[in-house]
Amino acid sequence: MESLDRIAYIKSEDIPNIDLYMDQVTTFMESRLKKSTRHPGEDKILTKTMINNYAKNDLLPPPVKKKYSKEHVLLLVFIYYYKGILSINDIQELFKPITDKFFDTEDDFDLEKIYETVFGLEDEQTEALKKDIIEKFRISEGTFKDAPEDSREFLQIFSFICMLSFDVYVKKMLIEKMIDGMHERKTKEKAQKETDKK
């Protein structure tokens, strides 16, 4: 439960309003997200190679004169959370409409607004997740009562991990299906436009 309390998203107002060089971006991300990693003393949040790869794979618009805007940093935070569960292609599919419509725009409805809205749901979701995790733990404690005593605790932990894993598996599958649906709609729309032209 304490580890869930350590998850803190970067508020948009905490991101500098000036463009940053890559070293400054990696340092900023490291300072803000380090405590949420599995091994805070060892794990890297973001490296120069990662950022370059994201730009090469069209996940991140290229920097302007080697400098990254606040919007670049917002996208990097999204990527940080997605990269553990989604493929690069899925993240691309998800981000393309976002970067096309809302990156570097003068409109009131921009990437920062999207970011604040989505991450603003975090506190409410964290509380719901805590309740769900406690309930799964309670259920796992009731399993394997008839197992040999020297194996019971391990099997109960295994049961708990299995329940959490199934939850992650189902949600990941749902996310992938939704992204596939987005891709199919886009493909159909493109084909329809080509048919209309003819």
Side-chain angles (χ1 to χ4, degrees):
M1 290 300 117
E2 285 175 11
S3 64
L4 287 179
D5 290 333
R6 288 200 312 264
I7 300 171
Y9 84 100
I10 300 172
K11 293 182 172 63
S12 64
E13 64 260 24
D14 294 339
I15 299 170
N17 276 320
I18 56 166
D19 293 348
L20 304 172
Y21 286 108
M22 190 180 291
D23 283 342
Q24 294 170 309
V25 171
T26 56
T27 301
F28 175 79
M29 294 286 281
E30 197 78 18
S31 69
R32 297 303 173 127
L33 296 172
K34 189 70 160 175
K35 64 182 177 181
S36 69
T37 61
R38 183 176 182 180
H39 304 289
E42 303 164 25
D43 294 344
K44 284 282 182 199
I45 299 295
L46 201 58
T47 64
K48 293 176 186 182
T49 305
M50 287 179 194
I51 295 174
N52 286 329
N53 285 336
Y54 299 152
K56 280 181 200 168
N57 286 297
D58 293 328
L59 294 179
L60 195 66
V64 178
K65 296 179 183 175
K66 296 187 178 183
K67 285 189 170 185
Y68 296 84
S69 67
K70 182 175 187 171
E71 289 183 315
H72 281 105
V73 177
L74 294 174
L75 285 173
L76 285 168
V77 175
F78 276 120
I79 293 168
Y80 172 74
Y81 287 112
Y82 284 136
K83 70 179 180 165
I85 54 168
L86 295 176
S87 70
I88 292 291
N89 287 343
D90 283 345
I91 300 172
Q92 258 178 333
E93 190 70 41
L94 200 53
F95 276 17
K96 184 86 172 96
I98 300 286
T99 53
D100 285 352
K101 282 186 172 181
F102 305 109
F103 187 87
D104 196 25
T105 180
E106 297 298 319
D107 295 341
D108 287 338
F109 202 89
D110 60 3
L111 186 59
E112 188 170 351
K113 174 125 175 118
I114 292 168
Y115 179 90
E116 281 296 325
T117 301
V118 171
F119 280 98
L121 302 170
E122 182 189 73
D123 288 338
E124 185 181 314
Q125 286 303 302
T126 301
E127 289 309 309
L129 280 169
K130 281 181 182 178
K131 286 178 185 170
D132 180 60
I133 289 168
I134 289 168
E135 178 61 14
K136 283 180 171 59
F137 182 74
R138 189 191 61 71
I139 292 167
S140 73
E141 281 187 314
T143 62
F144 298 108
K145 294 286 188 186
D146 57 345
E149 193 175 334
D150 64 339
S151 300
R152 192 176 305 142
E153 184 181 359
F154 166 75
L155 289 171
Q156 288 172 339
I157 291 169
F158 179 73
S159 174
F160 183 44
I161 290 170
C162 286
M163 282 192 288
L164 293 173
S165 299
F166 181 70
D167 190 56
V168 172
Y169 168 76
V170 170
K171 288 176 181 174
K172 182 176 187 282
M173 189 172 66
L174 178 61
I175 292 166
E176 290 170 344
K177 293 281 182 198
M178 292 171 71
I179 292 171
D180 290 345
M182 291 167 58
H183 180 73
E184 286 167 21
R185 275 193 300 278
K186 193 168 70 176
T187 303
K188 283 179 186 173
E189 286 170 9
K190 189 177 178 183
Q192 187 61 50
K193 282 180 185 175
E194 286 175 13
T195 304
D196 292 347
K197 281 181 186 177
K198 291 175 184 177

